[in-house]
Amino acid sequence: MKNFVSVDDVYDINPLVEQALKFKTDPFASKSLGIGKRLGLLFLNPSLRTRLSTQIAASNLGMESIVFNVDKDGWALEFAEGAVMNGTTVEHIKDAAPVLGQYFDILCVRTFPTLQNREEDYSERIINQFIKYAGVPIVSLESATLHPLQSLADIITIKESVMQIPASESAGVKIVLSWAPHVKALPQCVANSFAQWVGAWGEAEFVITHPKGYELNDAFTANARIIHNQEEALANADFVYVKNWSAYKDYGKIISNDADWMMTNQKIAITNNAKIMHCLPVRRNVELSDEILDGNNSLVTQQAGNRVWAAQAVLNEILKSK
Amino acid sequence: MKNFVSVDDVYDINPLVEQALKFKTDPFASKSLGIGKRLGLLFLNPSLRTRLSTQIAASNLGMESIVFNVDKDGWALEFAEGAVMNGTTVEHIKDAAPVLGQYFDILCVRTFPTLQNREEDYSERIINQFIKYAGVPIVSLESATLHPLQSLADIITIKESVMQIPASESAGVKIVLSWAPHVKALPQCVANSFAQWVGAWGEAEFVITHPKGYELNDAFTANARIIHNQEEALANADFVYVKNWSAYKDYGKIISNDADWMMTNQKIAITNNAKIMHCLPVRRNVELSDEILDGNNSLVTQQAGNRVWAAQAVLNEILKSK
Amino acid sequence: MKNFVSVDDVYDINPLVEQALKFKTDPFASKSLGIGKRLGLLFLNPSLRTRLSTQIAASNLGMESIVFNVDKDGWALEFAEGAVMNGTTVEHIKDAAPVLGQYFDILCVRTFPTLQNREEDYSERIINQFIKYAGVPIVSLESATLHPLQSLADIITIKESVMQIPASESAGVKIVLSWAPHVKALPQCVANSFAQWVGAWGEAEFVITHPKGYELNDAFTANARIIHNQEEALANADFVYVKNWSAYKDYGKIISNDADWMMTNQKIAITNNAKIMHCLPVRRNVELSDEILDGNNSLVTQQAGNRVWAAQAVLNEILKSK
């Protein structure tokens, strides 16, 4: 694996999931692999779970990690070719990335979309320019349109649950990605990425449900069935991933915020006693009801815990490829 | 020791002090105890000495520590049961704490009081909810009403000085906690905690002196004599702890700020050539005169240095109890 | 070496450069020297390259490093003797520095000039008071008037290039420091320090060129020839260091900002195919044209990479002197 910015960087998902589960059983199984190697974690936007889980993963592999949170005002990067930098940007990616590439063996980058300029966001120019200029492997800690470490952790979590189902019943698992209300306009990253990974994984029936107007970019949803009626979508679901996102078409907008789309125990009743997933942080009683998060169907804490093993499997793969 | 948030978590103070002094002599005496263990340091409020001393303590024990400073605006936690989170809080403690508990073996938390809502502050709901939901030992790096790592370092520092007094004279040591003026309304934490620890320790005569109106919560001062006349209080003192706090009764207020309460060499003359203590940072020539801080009676640098050994003794105890 | 705040702390530059180049070849050659030693990195002003390169250098030597970024508003230090601290400063350097000296074996400090008060800036009172009160070696990570780790990395980079020139031609190398336009008023640190180091090194002809009014403090430029005509200065140059600085005389001011002073390929044509240097971050097409930074004459990435080996050579020297 050269970089890790989308599912396309993964040759085969299942061995990566198996490697992650091996690390979960034995965190220090490859504790010498990363000795003398350095991981840089560059945050152009803040992060909690992603930073901690990636630092722990690196440490489990014997790598040293150094975090640098960039105050966008303090270190505004320029990405435009040929720019005359007499404004607010203080350093060009063409100068910054190669320096970071000298300091680190692997560089992790977190960046967010503008939610203003769809073309720019979907070009993923920030993470792509790091790939172009850093000269070392780049790992996405969430980019403008995708969040692959989250999605890998999601697949790991689903796999763990499926493994507990008797083989005779585990065929035909059904996963539903269900849009939820929120008070803020959020990126499409987690939804895009989950759709992309579940589609590429191919081991489940996959349905996406959302109010009209919240259609995702169909580059990511080719293997999903879109159903606008949430009840119909939830029928017989084994896993329900609850997540808000802002509109892709009317870009970055909240076009409706119907509280009826909140996930509740009443809706779980429609499903096959589905496990409920969310990437956190979650707005209680807006996206999901308390009763779900405090109940036995919730996988959210387990999902967050699996972020460590997802990151460790990816770093392990990159270290072995170097 | 399961958690460390107040003196009540300590079975016996003296062995803990002795352990700290052993580490001061031999910092790496238990350098393998924490190998493969992770310490999370969560700062809901900023810290300098507390962070550095705790990180160093962890490292001396072989533990890895990861710091995360939380910008309250960026990661506002919700603590209310049943809250509909459609406002400014982005994550509920019930979701955040168990995730941190998965990432870390011990979790340290720093938080401050509001100084607006006494009932809320004195319920210690923030640190108590971390205890309730994290599932791993919690260490207070200062909470709404207490600062136990500071108090342990204070007792260690007093013990070091007492050990230098000939046995015949060391009986009947007198400690005075003396309120000092300040330009800001400060928490009662250090004063509450010092009173609680000296009271529980029980090896000294203990007097608290302050202008009327600055009475502390008597839950912490049961073993202290309160004297409002500073001169009378200081007579024959062996240790004088100088500290400002805001009012407990008229909660969080500065009700008087008489410059005459500043500690000076002239006042030391009343004492038994007392050693002067302060937790730092100190406002020179407001709380304490320069002459004291630059003179031989000051223990403040030694106190700050002892923060390392206090933290190391506590972490050592928790690691051994796991 | 006791402290490292200017070239005056270096007994002989060449052995330090050679040590740095040895570490570049074998980063872990002294990996046990710093075991059990702690490096504190205190940033009173933000830093990217300096922080990362120094942390990596420390780690290569087996040292643990702890970074603390000080929000000036949150931890405003007092430096005035006898101050009555009833204003905005929260801690006196006389109290803070000895505590840090207890926590760390070596203390690195980054601070910037006010650019308002020349006398205060050029007294270097901040870094000098750390030296006075910390009780451990102090390393400058850039101070009010100097940036010695940058200058050492610059000399290392020049040396690397000179070593590739046949001996018969390497005599009489010419270095030019050329002022460049910028949109902000910058410190004189990098220019002062480069002039000081190249002057002390003494192995090259050294010319400084700038518009009238940008004369540096002549304490640093004694061994340089000042030529106000840029073209004349550049003739036959082997190395051109491009850098903006604000005025020393009319202190901290931008007194002219002539775009003609930007370095371009056309100007390189006047030189001896000079290598172009800059400390980064650089404003493209304001200080330097794209064509230079993207071309073969640029040493800027190599310079930034050499920051690691400069810091490592200095820390190595201090550790060996302790």
Side-chain angles (χ1 to χ4, degrees), chain B residues 172-193:
Chain B
V173 159
K174 178 178 175 183
I175 300 171
V176 179
L177 169 61
S178 182
W179 182 92
H182 202 285
V183 294
K184 289 177 63 183
L186 298 188
Q188 294 100 37
C189 304
V190 171
N192 284 342
S193 196

Side-chain angles (χ1 to χ4, degrees), chain C residues 112-124:
Chain C
F112 280 173
T114 62
L115 290 187
Q116 308 287 322
N117 183 334
R118 189 171 77 178
E119 195 183 357
E120 183 183 308
D121 289 346
Y122 275 73
S123 76
E124 288 286 8

